[in-house]
Amino acid sequence: MKKLKPYLSTLRLRAMLELQYRGAALGGMMTQLFFGFILVFLYQALYASGGQQSSTLYQTASYVWLQQAFFRVIIGSDGALNGEVMSGNVVYSLCRPVDLYGYWYMRAVAYRSVGSLMRALLMLPVAMLLPQPLGLMLPGSAAGFAAFMLSLAMGVLVMAALENIMSACTLITLDYRGAANMLGMFNAFAAGNLLPLTLFPDHWQRFILSTPFAQTLDVPIRYYTGQLSPEGLGGTLALQVFWMAALILIGWLLWRRALNRMVIQGG
Protein backbone atom coordinates (compact mmCIF):
# COMPACT_ATOMS: atom_id res chain seq x y z
CA MET A 1 0.00 0.00 0.00
CA LYS A 2 2.90 2.34 0.78
CA LYS A 3 4.22 1.93 -2.78
CA LEU A 4 0.83 2.95 -4.18
CA LYS A 5 0.58 6.11 -2.06
CA PRO A 6 2.46 8.41 -4.50
CA TYR A 7 0.23 7.32 -7.37
CA LEU A 8 -2.96 7.75 -5.34
CA SER A 9 -1.73 11.20 -4.33
CA THR A 10 -1.12 11.99 -8.01
CA LEU A 11 -4.69 10.90 -8.81
CA ARG A 12 -6.12 13.05 -6.02
CA LEU A 13 -4.10 16.16 -6.86
CA ARG A 14 -4.90 15.96 -10.60
CA ALA A 15 -8.58 15.50 -9.73
CA MET A 16 -8.50 18.56 -7.47
CA LEU A 17 -6.87 20.57 -10.25
CA GLU A 18 -9.54 19.46 -12.72
CA LEU A 19 -12.27 20.62 -10.31
CA GLN A 20 -10.95 24.17 -10.63
CA TYR A 21 -12.11 24.38 -14.25
CA ARG A 22 -15.82 24.78 -13.52
CA GLY A 23 -16.27 27.45 -16.20
CA ALA A 24 -14.73 25.14 -18.79
CA ALA A 25 -17.06 22.35 -17.67
CA LEU A 26 -20.09 24.61 -18.07
CA GLY A 27 -18.93 25.73 -21.52
CA GLY A 28 -18.31 22.11 -22.50
CA MET A 29 -21.78 21.14 -21.34
CA MET A 30 -23.40 23.86 -23.47
CA THR A 31 -21.37 22.76 -26.49
CA GLN A 32 -22.31 19.11 -26.06
CA LEU A 33 -25.97 20.03 -25.56
CA PHE A 34 -25.88 21.89 -28.87
CA PHE A 35 -24.39 18.94 -30.74
CA GLY A 36 -26.71 16.56 -28.91
CA PHE A 37 -29.80 18.41 -30.16
CA ILE A 38 -28.49 18.41 -33.73
CA LEU A 39 -27.79 14.67 -33.67
CA VAL A 40 -31.09 13.76 -32.01
CA PHE A 41 -33.09 15.72 -34.58
CA LEU A 42 -31.12 14.07 -37.39
CA TYR A 43 -31.90 10.62 -36.03
CA GLN A 44 -35.55 11.59 -35.58
CA ALA A 45 -35.66 12.38 -39.31
CA LEU A 46 -33.87 9.11 -40.08
CA TYR A 47 -36.39 7.03 -38.14
CA ALA A 48 -39.31 8.95 -39.64
CA SER A 49 -38.11 8.05 -43.14
CA GLY A 50 -38.89 4.38 -42.50
CA GLY A 51 -36.81 1.22 -42.48
CA GLN A 52 -36.11 -1.28 -39.76
CA GLN A 53 -33.61 -0.44 -37.02
CA SER A 54 -32.17 -2.66 -34.31
CA SER A 55 -32.85 0.02 -31.67
CA THR A 56 -35.72 2.38 -30.98
CA LEU A 57 -35.46 6.14 -31.41
CA TYR A 58 -35.64 6.53 -27.62
CA GLN A 59 -32.64 4.22 -27.21
CA THR A 60 -30.69 6.00 -29.93
CA ALA A 61 -31.45 9.43 -28.46
CA SER A 62 -30.34 8.19 -25.03
CA TYR A 63 -27.19 6.79 -26.62
CA VAL A 64 -26.45 10.22 -28.13
CA TRP A 65 -26.97 12.07 -24.85
CA LEU A 66 -24.71 9.69 -22.93
CA GLN A 67 -22.04 9.96 -25.62
CA GLN A 68 -22.16 13.75 -25.39
CA ALA A 69 -22.22 13.77 -21.58
CA PHE A 70 -19.14 11.54 -21.29
CA PHE A 71 -17.38 13.08 -24.28
CA ARG A 72 -14.25 13.76 -22.22
CA VAL A 73 -13.67 10.04 -21.65
CA ILE A 74 -12.54 9.59 -25.25
CA ILE A 75 -11.56 13.06 -26.51
CA GLY A 76 -8.78 15.36 -25.32
CA SER A 77 -5.65 14.73 -23.29
CA ASP A 78 -3.61 16.15 -20.45
CA GLY A 79 -1.35 18.56 -22.31
CA ALA A 80 1.12 18.96 -19.43
CA LEU A 81 3.42 16.20 -20.67
CA ASN A 82 3.50 17.66 -24.19
CA GLY A 83 4.54 21.00 -22.76
CA GLU A 84 7.23 19.43 -20.60
CA VAL A 85 8.69 17.50 -23.52
CA MET A 86 8.84 20.54 -25.79
CA SER A 87 10.27 22.87 -23.11
CA GLY A 88 12.74 20.39 -21.65
CA ASN A 89 11.07 20.49 -18.23
CA VAL A 90 10.44 16.76 -18.46
CA VAL A 91 13.91 16.43 -16.91
CA TYR A 92 12.33 17.39 -13.58
CA SER A 93 9.86 14.52 -13.91
CA LEU A 94 12.79 12.15 -14.32
CA CYS A 95 13.90 13.15 -10.81
CA ARG A 96 10.66 11.95 -9.22
CA PRO A 97 11.10 8.72 -7.18
CA VAL A 98 8.19 7.04 -8.99
CA ASP A 99 7.62 5.08 -12.16
CA LEU A 100 6.85 7.77 -14.73
CA TYR A 101 4.43 5.58 -16.63
CA GLY A 102 2.33 5.05 -13.50
CA TYR A 103 2.53 8.75 -12.64
CA TRP A 104 1.17 9.90 -16.00
CA TYR A 105 -1.32 7.04 -16.14
CA MET A 106 -2.95 8.20 -12.90
CA ARG A 107 -3.03 11.76 -14.22
CA ALA A 108 -4.81 10.53 -17.34
CA VAL A 109 -7.37 8.63 -15.24
CA ALA A 110 -8.14 11.72 -13.13
CA TYR A 111 -8.30 14.01 -16.17
CA ARG A 112 -10.83 11.85 -18.01
CA SER A 113 -12.97 10.71 -15.09
CA VAL A 114 -13.36 14.02 -13.22
CA GLY A 115 -13.71 16.09 -16.38
CA SER A 116 -16.45 13.78 -17.65
CA LEU A 117 -18.35 13.68 -14.38
CA MET A 118 -18.36 17.48 -14.09
CA ARG A 119 -20.05 17.75 -17.48
CA ALA A 120 -22.34 14.75 -17.08
CA LEU A 121 -23.76 15.87 -13.72
CA LEU A 122 -24.84 19.14 -15.34
CA MET A 123 -26.00 17.76 -18.66
CA LEU A 124 -27.85 14.52 -17.91
CA PRO A 125 -30.64 16.10 -15.79
CA VAL A 126 -31.34 18.50 -18.67
CA ALA A 127 -31.49 15.63 -21.16
CA MET A 128 -33.89 13.70 -18.90
CA LEU A 129 -36.33 16.63 -18.90
CA LEU A 130 -36.72 16.52 -22.68
CA PRO A 131 -39.90 14.89 -24.03
CA GLN A 132 -39.89 11.28 -25.18
CA PRO A 133 -38.47 9.92 -27.39
CA LEU A 134 -35.92 12.72 -27.80
CA GLY A 135 -34.67 12.85 -24.22
CA LEU A 136 -32.58 10.57 -22.03
CA MET A 137 -34.40 7.48 -20.85
CA LEU A 138 -34.03 6.08 -17.35
CA PRO A 139 -31.93 2.91 -17.18
CA GLY A 140 -33.92 -0.24 -17.82
CA SER A 141 -33.03 -1.73 -14.44
CA ALA A 142 -30.84 -1.20 -11.39
CA ALA A 143 -28.64 -4.06 -12.59
CA GLY A 144 -28.28 -2.40 -15.98
CA PHE A 145 -27.26 0.89 -14.37
CA ALA A 146 -24.73 -0.87 -12.14
CA ALA A 147 -23.32 -2.66 -15.19
CA PHE A 148 -23.10 0.70 -16.98
CA MET A 149 -21.14 2.29 -14.13
CA LEU A 150 -18.72 -0.62 -13.72
CA SER A 151 -18.11 -0.93 -17.45
CA LEU A 152 -17.68 2.85 -17.79
CA ALA A 153 -15.09 2.88 -15.00
CA MET A 154 -13.16 0.14 -16.79
CA GLY A 155 -13.54 2.09 -20.04
CA VAL A 156 -11.78 5.07 -18.44
CA LEU A 157 -8.87 2.81 -17.44
CA VAL A 158 -8.65 1.43 -20.99
CA MET A 159 -8.71 4.96 -22.42
CA ALA A 160 -5.98 6.11 -20.02
CA ALA A 161 -3.80 3.24 -21.26
CA LEU A 162 -4.43 4.33 -24.85
CA GLU A 163 -3.50 7.90 -23.95
CA ASN A 164 -0.21 6.77 -22.41
CA ILE A 165 0.70 5.05 -25.68
CA MET A 166 0.08 8.38 -27.40
CA SER A 167 2.27 10.05 -24.76
CA ALA A 168 5.06 7.55 -25.48
CA CYS A 169 4.86 8.54 -29.13
CA THR A 170 5.27 12.16 -28.05
CA LEU A 171 8.43 11.26 -26.15
CA ILE A 172 9.80 9.54 -29.26
CA THR A 173 8.70 11.97 -32.00
CA LEU A 174 8.66 15.22 -29.95
CA ASP A 175 5.34 16.13 -31.59
CA TYR A 176 2.04 15.00 -30.11
CA ARG A 177 -0.22 16.10 -32.97
CA GLY A 178 0.12 13.05 -35.21
CA ALA A 179 -0.54 10.48 -32.48
CA ALA A 180 -3.28 12.63 -30.91
CA ASN A 181 -5.12 13.04 -34.22
CA MET A 182 -4.93 9.33 -34.99
CA LEU A 183 -6.19 8.37 -31.53
CA GLY A 184 -8.99 10.95 -31.67
CA MET A 185 -10.11 9.72 -35.10
CA PHE A 186 -10.27 6.05 -34.06
CA ASN A 187 -11.96 6.90 -30.78
CA ALA A 188 -14.63 9.12 -32.28
CA PHE A 189 -15.53 6.44 -34.83
CA ALA A 190 -15.10 3.16 -32.96
CA ALA A 191 -16.48 4.41 -29.63
CA GLY A 192 -19.73 5.43 -31.35
CA ASN A 193 -19.36 9.18 -30.96
CA LEU A 194 -19.71 10.04 -34.65
CA LEU A 195 -22.41 7.46 -35.34
CA PRO A 196 -24.01 5.05 -32.87
CA LEU A 197 -22.54 1.62 -33.43
CA THR A 198 -26.01 0.16 -32.87
CA LEU A 199 -26.93 1.49 -36.33
CA PHE A 200 -24.09 -0.42 -38.02
CA PRO A 201 -24.62 -3.81 -39.71
CA ASP A 202 -24.21 -6.73 -37.32
CA HIS A 203 -20.97 -8.02 -38.85
CA TRP A 204 -19.40 -4.56 -38.53
CA GLN A 205 -20.57 -4.31 -34.94
CA ARG A 206 -19.00 -7.63 -34.02
CA PHE A 207 -15.65 -6.50 -35.37
CA ILE A 208 -15.67 -3.02 -33.81
CA LEU A 209 -16.86 -4.33 -30.45
CA SER A 210 -13.77 -6.52 -30.25
CA THR A 211 -11.49 -3.44 -30.34
CA PRO A 212 -10.42 -1.47 -27.25
CA PHE A 213 -12.00 1.72 -28.64
CA ALA A 214 -15.55 0.38 -28.37
CA GLN A 215 -14.87 -0.71 -24.79
CA THR A 216 -14.34 2.87 -23.68
CA LEU A 217 -17.85 4.26 -24.20
CA ASP A 218 -20.05 2.32 -26.63
CA VAL A 219 -20.28 -0.90 -24.61
CA PRO A 220 -21.02 0.80 -21.25
CA ILE A 221 -23.82 2.86 -22.83
CA ARG A 222 -25.46 -0.28 -24.24
CA TYR A 223 -25.93 -1.55 -20.69
CA TYR A 224 -27.69 1.69 -19.77
CA THR A 225 -30.06 1.58 -22.75
CA GLY A 226 -30.82 -2.12 -22.27
CA GLN A 227 -29.20 -3.22 -25.54
CA LEU A 228 -26.85 -5.44 -23.56
CA SER A 229 -28.01 -7.66 -20.72
CA PRO A 230 -26.34 -7.28 -17.29
CA GLU A 231 -25.86 -11.06 -17.32
CA GLY A 232 -23.11 -10.56 -19.91
CA LEU A 233 -21.16 -8.10 -17.75
CA GLY A 234 -18.59 -10.74 -16.76
CA GLY A 235 -17.51 -11.23 -20.36
CA THR A 236 -17.39 -7.48 -20.97
CA LEU A 237 -15.23 -6.85 -17.91
CA ALA A 238 -12.92 -9.70 -18.88
CA LEU A 239 -12.41 -8.18 -22.34
CA GLN A 240 -11.86 -4.73 -20.86
CA VAL A 241 -9.31 -6.09 -18.36
CA PHE A 242 -7.53 -7.87 -21.21
CA TRP A 243 -7.27 -4.71 -23.29
CA MET A 244 -6.25 -2.62 -20.28
CA ALA A 245 -3.46 -5.06 -19.38
CA ALA A 246 -2.28 -5.41 -22.98
CA LEU A 247 -2.25 -1.66 -23.59
CA ILE A 248 -0.52 -0.93 -20.29
CA LEU A 249 2.20 -3.45 -21.16
CA ILE A 250 2.66 -1.95 -24.64
CA GLY A 251 2.68 1.57 -23.23
CA TRP A 252 5.14 0.71 -20.46
CA LEU A 253 7.55 -0.87 -22.95
CA LEU A 254 7.29 2.17 -25.23
CA TRP A 255 7.91 4.51 -22.29
CA ARG A 256 10.91 2.48 -21.20
CA ARG A 257 12.39 2.63 -24.71
CA ALA A 258 11.67 6.35 -25.03
CA LEU A 259 13.19 7.26 -21.66
CA ASN A 260 16.34 5.27 -22.38
CA ARG A 261 16.88 7.20 -25.61
CA MET A 262 15.55 10.59 -24.57
CA VAL A 263 17.28 13.79 -25.66
CA ILE A 264 16.19 16.76 -23.54
CA GLN A 265 14.97 19.78 -25.51
CA GLY A 266 15.32 23.37 -24.34
CA GLY A 267 17.65 24.68 -21.67
Side-chain angles (χ1 to χ4, degrees):
M1 186 65 183
K2 188 175 181 179
K3 292 183 178 180
L4 293 177
K5 188 175 180 180
Y7 304 102
L8 296 176
S9 297
T10 299
L11 178 70
R12 179 176 61 84
L13 291 173
R14 187 63 182 88
M16 291 174 62
L17 178 63
E18 193 66 29
L19 289 172
Q20 304 303 310
Y21 298 105
R22 292 182 289 271
L26 180 60
M29 182 207 74
M30 299 301 294
T31 302
Q32 301 317 128
L33 273 175
F34 174 76
F35 282 107
F37 278 116
I38 291 176
L39 291 172
V40 166
F41 290 141
L42 285 174
Y43 292 128
Q44 183 185 31
L46 174 67
Y47 276 78
S49 66
Q52 291 185 344
Q53 303 293 341
S54 60
S55 57
T56 66
L57 176 57
Y58 204 9
Q59 288 175 319
T60 299
S62 298
Y63 185 103
V64 168
W65 289 120
L66 290 168
Q67 281 277 353
Q68 296 301 314
F70 293 99
F71 182 76
R72 272 283 294 273
V73 170
I74 61 171
I75 299 296
S77 63
D78 185 349
L81 178 61
N82 301 328
E84 287 192 4
V85 171
M86 299 307 297
S87 67
N89 289 335
V90 69
V91 69
Y92 299 116
S93 294
L94 296 174
C95 298
R96 292 191 175 99
V98 294
D99 178 72
L100 279 188
Y101 179 90
Y103 171 79
W104 287 101
Y105 181 83
M106 297 305 279
R107 283 181 62 101
V109 170
Y111 170 84
R112 296 186 180 279
S113 58
V114 176
S116 296
L117 286 174
M118 288 175 67
R119 288 159 173 76
L121 291 175
L122 295 171
M123 182 175 173
L124 294 182
V126 176
M128 284 183 175
L129 294 175
L130 298 175
Q132 297 184 20
L134 302 180
L136 174 65
M137 64 190 299
L138 293 173
S141 64
F145 182 72
F148 161 71
M149 294 299 295
L150 285 172
S151 183
L152 181 61
M154 286 300 304
V156 171
L157 298 180
V158 172
M159 189 60 231
L162 282 167
E163 181 179 343
N164 259 20
I165 291 178
M166 181 193 74
S167 298
C169 294
T170 301
L171 292 172
I172 295 170
T173 65
L174 305 182
D175 192 338
Y176 71 94
R177 289 171 294 184
N181 289 338
M182 289 291 291
L183 180 61
M185 179 184 68
F186 281 118
N187 269 333
F189 172 76
N193 193 263
L194 290 179
L195 181 69
L197 299 186
T198 53
L199 301 181
F200 278 59
D202 289 341
H203 61 281
W204 274 93
Q205 288 193 48
R206 285 192 294 270
F207 169 72
I208 298 175
L209 288 174
S210 66
T211 68
F213 306 103
Q215 305 302 316
T216 57
L217 206 51
D218 172 82
V219 170
I221 290 175
R222 293 188 191 220
Y223 282 109
Y224 185 100
T225 58
Q227 292 160 304
L228 285 178
S229 171
E231 283 74 19
L233 179 62
T236 295
L237 293 179
L239 182 58
Q240 288 177 315
V241 168
F242 165 77
W243 277 119
M244 180 186 69
L247 294 170
I248 285 177
L249 176 60
I250 293 171
W252 184 81
L253 291 173
L254 287 173
W255 269 73
R256 183 178 179 182
R257 177 181 181 275
L259 292 176
N260 286 338
R261 302 185 179 187
M262 177 178 288
V263 176
I264 299 300
Q265 305 296 310

